[in-house]
Amino acid sequence: MARMFRVLGFFTLVIALMSFAGDLTEMSLLFFVQTVVFFLLGYLNFTEKTYILLFWAYMVLSFLGFTYWTVFRMGLPF
């Protein structure tokens, strides 16, 4: 399970590099931070249950953040 977090770190690194190349600075910084966090979590050798709980917490936090940003920060098109 720890390898999966390193794989997530790799893919977030790829997204960060592509967004940096496309002059999306805020997005690239967000994904660089996620890359560091995923790589650190991948080398901490937690139990499988802990990794699953961490991933669920990450998913809930990211979906809440995405929903907040799209509804309240971007505004509705009406």
Side-chain angles (χ1 to χ4, degrees):
M1 193 64 164
R3 278 191 190 159
M4 197 63 226
F5 274 87
R6 287 182 238 152
V7 170
L8 285 170
F10 170 75
F11 283 117
T12 54
L13 178 64
V14 169
I15 293 170
L17 290 174
M18 287 190 298
S19 61
F20 187 71
D23 287 334
L24 299 169
T25 310
E26 294 88 3
M27 180 179 166
S28 64
L29 289 175
L30 177 67
F31 276 90
F32 279 129
V33 169
Q34 289 181 19
T35 299
V36 170
V37 169
F38 282 144
F39 275 124
L40 288 176
L41 286 174
Y43 286 105
L44 287 178
N45 294 327
F46 289 133
T47 63
E48 186 171 346
K49 183 178 180 179
T50 305
Y51 278 120
I52 291 172
L53 290 173
L54 283 170
F55 183 71
W56 273 99
Y58 167 74
M59 294 304 292
V60 167
L61 185 67
S62 64
F63 285 135
L64 285 175
F66 178 77
T67 303
Y68 167 76
W69 188 265
T70 55
V71 172
F72 296 111
R73 300 289 294 210
M74 289 178 64
L76 296 175
F78 307 114

